[in-house]
Amino acid sequence: MSLLEIIGGIFILVGSVFLFLGGLGIFRMPDVYNRLQAGTKATTLGAMSVILGVGISQAATDWTWILKTLVIVIFIAYSNPISSHALARAMYKRKKFPLVKSKAENMDAYREIIETEKEEVKS
Amino acid sequence: MKKLIVILLLAVTGYFMVISFMDLGKDGPVVKNGVKDFYLDKTVSELKVANTITSIVVNFRGFDTLGEVTVLFLAATALGGILYKKRHHVGERSVLFPSSTIVKAGSKLLFPAIILLGVYVFVHGHLSPGGGFQGGTIIATGFLLMLLAYDNFSVSHKVLSYIESFAGIFFVLFGLSGMFMGKTFLENFMPVGNLNDLFSGGIIPIIYILVGFKVAAELTGLIYTVLNEKE
C-alpha cells in the first residue's frame, strides 16, 4: 500500500461519514429546510470527498485520474448548490415557512409533526 | 401484529430462496455451450468491440434494437396525440413563479456541459458503458433543465420531427445497405479497425449515433409537450 492510497482512503472514509450523516439528517430533521440542509450540504462534501479520494488512490498507477475526478468535483460543486437553492426557493414561494421557535404557530406545527411521528412509530 | 407476520413471511421466503440459490454454480456455469460463449468470443476477435453488451444490442441483435426504437417512437407519438391541444399562444407556459437568476445563469452554463456529456456517452457507446439510449436521455435532461429555467425557452417541433425521422430512416438504410453488400440485415459490412479505437467496430458507432439523435429528439419533444399542457 503506497502513501497515495492511504491518503485516498482517508478521503473516502471522511466522505462516507458525511454521506451517512446526510442520510441520517434527511431521516431525522423535522421540516423541509432542515432536511435540505442535511441532504445537500453534507452530501455535497461527502460526494466530493469520496470522488477525490478515489482519484488520489488511483493516482499512483495513472496520474490523469486526479484531473478526471477534479472535473467531476467541480461539476458537483457547481450544480448541487444551484439545485438546493431552487428547491428551497420553490418551498418558500409555496408559503411553506421554516419552523422557528419564536413564533407560536410554528411551534404548534412543530409539536404536531413530532406527535404524528410518535403515533406513526407506535402503530 | 400485521407487520410481524409480514416480517416472518419475508424471513421464511428469504431463507428458502437463499437455500435454493446455494447450489447454483457449484459445478460450473448453469448454461453450458450456450450462446454466451459465442458472443464473448466473437465480440473481441471479429468485431473488435470493447463493450460486449453494445455488440449484442447493435450487431448480433440489431433487429431487436430497431423494434425497441419503434416502440419508443410509438409511445412518444401516442402521448403527443393524447396531450396535444390547439393553442393560441405557442411557447408560453403557465408558471407559478419565474425561476431565480441563480438558476437561470447556472443552467446556461450547465446546458452545454450536459449536451457534451450526452454526445460523449453515445459516441463512445462501443468503448465504455452507455450508448445511444443513455446518451439521448442525458441530452433530453439538458433540454428539460433549460425548459424549467427559462419560461420562454422553446424547441421547434418541426426540427425535432425531422431529426427523429431522418435518424430512423438512416437506421433502416444502414441495415439495408448491409444486404446490398451481400450480408444479412443489420450485419456489419464496414472495416472493424483496432480494439479500443474511437473509429472501430464497423457500423456500431454509426448506428448508436443515429439512435442517440433519435432518442434525444423523441424525449425532448415528449418533455416539451408535457410542459406545454395547459388546464
Side-chain angles (χ1 to χ4, degrees), chain A residues 61-116:
Chain A
T61 49
D62 191 0
W63 64 274
T64 54
W65 272 75
I66 287 189
L67 294 182
K68 285 175 192 171
T69 47
L70 262 182
V71 170
I72 303 172
V73 163
I74 289 167
F75 193 76
I76 289 173
Y78 182 76
S79 64
N80 235 352
I82 293 173
S83 61
S84 59
H85 154 80
L87 281 171
R89 190 170 175 275
M91 284 316 288
Y92 193 74
K93 289 272 176 180
R94 280 291 183 94
K95 312 278 183 206
K96 299 261 200 261
F97 294 119
L99 301 168
V100 186
K101 254 190 183 175
S102 59
K103 287 189 180 176
E105 73 244 54
N106 277 337
M107 261 327 269
D108 291 343
Y110 185 78
R111 281 203 195 98
E112 260 180 34
I113 290 171
I114 297 288
E115 273 164 23
T116 46

Side-chain angles (χ1 to χ4, degrees), chain B residues 12 30 38-39 50 66 100 145 155 163 190 192 198 207 210 225:
Chain B
V12 170
V30 182
F38 176 81
Y39 286 151
L66 187 62
S100 66
L145 182 68
V155 284
I163 292 172
M190 284 162 79
V192 288
L198 182 57
I207 281 181
L210 291 174
T225 320

